[in-house]
Amino acid sequence: MARFELATSWSQTRRDNRATLHPDTHLRLANIQHLCFSNSHIVVSLQIKLQKQQENIWILDFGSQYTQLIARRLRELKVYCEIHPYTKIPKNREGLKGIILSGSPFSVRAENPPIPDLEGLKGHYPILGICYGAQYLSHFYGGEVGRSEHREYGRAQLQIIDASCKLFEGVSKATQVWMSHGDSILKLPESYIITACTADIPIAAYRVKGESTFAIQFHPEVYHSTEGKTMLSNFVFQICGCSGLWTPDAFIETTIQDLRNKIGTEQVILGLSGGVDSSVAAVLLHRAIGHQLTGIFVDNGLLRKDEFSQVLQSYRHMGLNVRGIDARDKFYKALEGIADPEQKRKIIGKVFIDVFDAQSRELSGAQWLAQGTIYPDVIESVSVKGPSATIKSHHNVGGLPEYMKLKIVEPLRNLFKDEVRQVGKALALDERILNRHPFPGPGLGIRILGAITPEKVQLLQEADYIFISELQQSGWYDKVWQAGAILLPVQSVGVMGDERTYEQVLALRAVTSTDGMTADWSHIPYELLAKISNSIINRVRGINRVVYDISSKPPATIEWE
């Protein structure tokens, strides 16, 4: 028996009906365990590992309202991407395939405009500048940007001038795009070539000679740019050379390996909520580290009716090691008299941390705190310096206090909500958990406007239970992305029988969405809304008026606080 190792790598593309290997896919043959010689044949046992380097497109954010949409479009193309504030460009460029510069509410002509450090990036990696990004790449490299005499907002007809431009391969010579800019590029630097224009804007797109640098004055990421997705596809595939292999299965494979490498033999505690995010995180971690994981499900007194016992039971059926902690009194005491929504969120987050810290001390060797943080939590909690503002703080985002000894691990940090569900489906997660509506981490605490009391919580739990039950029984639950009841700090006059009442007003909220970044109100039939309203008013003592929220996101958020 001979034992040796053989390592080799190659890049090739097979053009027949057999397997295709992308040039950036690395195959490593290693650990040929043994050769057995027997008369006229040789038996070779190989252990083969396929190692795929994570491809990445960076989106540098200058505060545009459309930045998240760029990421969504790339993810739809099965291309992994990350949003980074222009002030925090990563140092590690492993796997980097290209860079997109977003738009911005600021002008390059402002006194202190957003200026990214593109040293070592421009001319070395493919770059696509969008709107502000296009103006920046012109203005700060020798061109001129000025206030446009013909501002363009909304639909415009783009005329392709340079048909050889890779960005416009397969795009109609005249195509509709979405404009949103008050400044215009008046003059390009030398070696910059105009590739498209509109009736009012002579420089609507350009490329840089000798570089894979492209720029456009419009937004390809919005649906109103009818061939925008083709342009983005050309950029990531034709120009950046991405493979489009970022699938749920690929994510699971790489994440499990990364978790094993990161955690090693250390113990992890995971904050569970019963929702799809923390549940998918739990299954991923369980597959990666098994018995090293302990789930902690906290009853903060802000859960839905009977949720604590039901969720505990479902997790134990999944084979997870879960502890149920009754911490209702701690949360109620900390929240007493607090009405400000941001303050409530922060208090809830702090008490959660305190509970987990106490549990970690009881668990011998626990060194990690796992959380079900997802990408919208991160995006909405971290502002770009200057251009944008934080929409809300999130109890999962922002790190741990210094006194706490646990390190944070967030397996889903870079996934949108719909992607989390796709991963959960690939993991064969229970359909009841997989299709459960999103439920905010602070729970009913941000659905009770104003100060929280146990009496208000019980009132809202009963009303919310009726709302969700009626949606489920009518078949509307699966047509709605998220639904919930909100207890308003408003009382109204009502009449019940011969008595005059002065009781609480309840708002119902139901939305349709894909990822939670944008949402529209659900058009639930009037007859069903009437039935829900009557059931709540008749069965929940203390509520005498029900209203339905018909605002979309934006401008409103899904939750009221």
Side-chain angles (χ1 to χ4, degrees):
M1 178 181 293
R3 182 179 179 90
F4 61 92
E5 291 188 351
L6 170 67
T8 183
S9 66
W10 69 89
S11 300
Q12 67 180 39
T13 302
R14 303 284 298 274
R15 300 189 181 277
D16 54 18
N17 292 328
R18 289 170 289 180
T20 298
L21 299 179
H22 188 271
D24 290 323
T25 300
H26 299 278
L27 293 178
R28 292 186 180 180
L29 298 177
N31 301 330
I32 299 183
Q33 295 180 342
H34 57 269
L35 296 177
C36 299
F37 297 88
S38 176
N39 296 328
S40 61
H41 68 275
I42 301 176
V43 179
V44 182
S45 174
L46 298 177
Q47 181 183 7
I48 302 176
K49 287 187 178 180
L50 177 62
Q51 295 185 343
K52 300 173 185 174
Q53 185 176 355
Q54 176 73 47
E55 295 177 345
N56 197 350
I57 298 291
W58 290 350
I59 302 170
L60 301 188
D61 182 20
F62 297 92
S64 169
Q65 61 178 320
Y66 298 128
T67 301
Q68 293 79 24
L69 279 179
I70 301 173
R72 290 295 307 129
R73 299 296 169 257
L74 298 195
R75 297 285 183 90
E76 288 168 4
L77 294 168
K78 294 183 172 60
V79 172
Y80 180 72
C81 60
E82 294 175 353
I83 297 173
H84 297 285
Y86 77 92
T87 54
K88 297 179 181 179
I89 300 175
K91 300 296 183 183
N92 184 2
R93 299 174 185 176
E94 184 179 359
L96 178 62
K97 304 293 288 184
I99 301 163
I100 294 178
L101 309 182
S102 84
S104 176
F106 276 52
S107 168
V108 295
R109 301 180 298 107
E111 186 175 346
N112 293 303
I115 300 177
D117 181 7
L118 299 182
E119 181 70 29
L121 297 173
K122 185 177 179 294
H124 298 272
Y125 295 90
I127 291 179
L128 174 61
I130 295 176
C131 203
Y132 178 90
Q135 294 169 2
Y136 167 80
L137 289 171
S138 172
H139 188 73
F140 288 95
Y141 288 88
E144 182 183 349
V145 172
R147 197 68 179 169
S148 176
E149 294 182 6
H150 302 281
R151 295 185 298 171
E152 288 190 315
Y153 293 98
R155 294 175 178 84
Q157 199 71 7
L158 187 76
Q159 297 290 329
I160 307 297
I161 297 173
D162 182 2
S164 67
C165 180
K166 290 183 179 179
L167 192 67
F168 299 130
E169 186 175 315
V171 176
S172 305
K173 189 172 182 179
T175 184
Q176 177 182 290
V177 295
W178 184 263
M179 294 282 189
S180 181
H181 62 93
D183 287 350
S184 285
I185 300 168
L186 306 179
K187 179 183 175 183
L188 289 175
E190 292 184 15
S191 78
Y192 281 40
I193 301 169
I194 299 175
T195 57
C197 66
T198 69
D200 295 322
I201 305 296
I203 307 175
Y206 64 82
R207 63 182 175 88
V208 180
K209 188 176 181 179
E211 296 181 12
S212 293
T213 299
F214 302 81
I216 51 181
Q217 273 280 260
F218 54 89
H219 290 275
E221 66 274 18
V222 302
Y223 287 116
H224 301 300
S225 293
T226 54
E227 296 179 271
K229 193 170 182 178
T230 301
M231 300 174 198
L232 291 174
S233 176
N234 287 339
F235 179 69
V236 295
F237 295 127
Q238 304 297 330
I239 296 168
C240 297
C242 292
S243 59
L245 296 177
W246 197 69
T247 63
D249 287 334
F251 172 82
I252 291 168
E253 179 186 350
T254 56
T255 300
I256 287 175
Q257 189 58 53
D258 289 344
L259 289 170
R260 287 171 179 164
N261 294 338
K262 187 174 188 176
I263 296 169
T265 59
E266 296 176 342
Q267 298 291 314
V268 179
I269 59 173
L270 167 64
L272 291 165
S273 68
V276 64
D277 301 336
S278 64
S279 299
V280 171
V283 175
L284 275 172
L285 282 158
H286 185 67
R287 287 199 181 183
I289 60 173
H291 67 276
Q292 295 168 234
L293 173 68
T294 300
I296 307 294
F297 183 41
V298 177
D299 185 354
N300 59 3
L302 304 170
L303 302 175
R304 283 174 162 160
K305 183 179 179 180
D306 299 329
E307 189 171 24
F308 186 60
S309 58
Q310 291 172 358
V311 170
L312 273 180
Q313 186 177 11
S314 65
Y315 280 140
R316 284 165 183 159
H317 285 164
M318 292 165 59
L320 297 175
N321 177 27
V322 181
R323 291 186 176 190
I325 308 298
D326 184 352
R328 288 175 294 179
D329 291 342
K330 291 182 180 179
F331 282 88
Y332 288 154
K333 184 177 180 180
L335 290 166
E336 188 174 355
I338 304 298
D340 180 74
E342 275 295 288
Q343 199 173 354
K344 284 197 287 187
R345 284 180 177 272
K346 290 175 180 176
I347 288 172
I348 291 168
K350 182 183 181 303
V351 178
F352 262 118
I353 292 295
D354 291 343
V355 171
F356 283 120
D357 187 39
Q359 288 300 309
S360 70
R361 296 176 191 277
E362 292 183 17
L363 290 168
S364 177
Q367 295 179 289
W368 292 88
L369 170 62
Q371 298 185 135
T373 309
I374 62 173
Y375 213 22
D377 299 334
V378 177
I379 293 169
E380 293 187 344
S381 298
V382 181
S383 66
V384 176
K385 184 180 179 181
S388 66
T390 300
I391 296 173
K392 65 183 180 183
S393 64
H394 190 275
H395 74 280
N396 276 358
V397 181
L400 296 173
E402 290 185 6
Y403 68 81
M404 197 169 178
K405 305 302 180 183
L406 297 178
K407 298 170 283 187
I408 287 182
V409 58
E410 297 168 319
L412 310 177
R413 186 179 177 87
N414 293 322
L415 295 186
F416 287 95
K417 175 69 76 172
D418 58 315
E419 294 170 331
V420 174
R421 283 203 169 97
Q422 292 169 21
V423 170
K425 188 174 182 179
L427 290 167
L429 194 68
D430 189 312
E431 289 288 333
R432 290 172 298 179
I433 294 178
L434 192 60
N435 296 324
R436 184 175 183 256
H437 286 180
F439 189 62
L444 300 181
I446 57 170
R447 292 183 179 176
I448 296 173
L449 273 58
I452 297 168
T453 65
E455 293 75 22
K456 288 181 182 179
V457 171
Q458 186 176 4
L459 198 68
L460 183 56
Q461 283 176 334
E462 294 297 331
D464 180 81
Y465 178 78
I466 293 171
F467 183 27
I468 299 302
S469 297
E470 292 286 358
L471 290 178
Q472 291 170 334
Q473 292 168 18
S474 65
W476 266 87
Y477 185 84
D478 292 332
K479 299 177 185 178
V480 170
W481 192 78
Q482 182 173 344
I486 300 95
L487 191 64
L488 306 184
V490 175
Q491 290 181 304
S492 71
V493 174
V495 177
M496 291 185 177
D498 294 328
E499 295 183 6
R500 183 176 185 270
T501 62
Y502 192 57
E503 295 178 339
Q504 298 290 129
V505 178
L506 184 83
L508 303 180
R509 179 76 157 141
V511 299
T512 57
S513 180
T514 300
D515 49 38
M517 299 305 299
T518 60
D520 195 11
W521 61 278
S522 295
H523 293 236
I524 296 174
Y526 294 154
E527 295 79 9
L528 179 56
L529 286 174
K531 182 181 180 183
I532 293 168
S533 175
N534 289 336
S535 295
I536 291 173
I537 292 173
N538 289 334
R539 292 164 55 186
V540 183
R541 187 177 297 276
I543 295 174
N544 69 354
R545 191 178 298 270
V546 174
V547 298
Y548 188 55
D549 183 349
I550 59 169
S551 51
S552 298
K553 176 185 179 180
T557 53
I558 295 176
E559 298 294 342
W560 280 44
E561 288 192 341

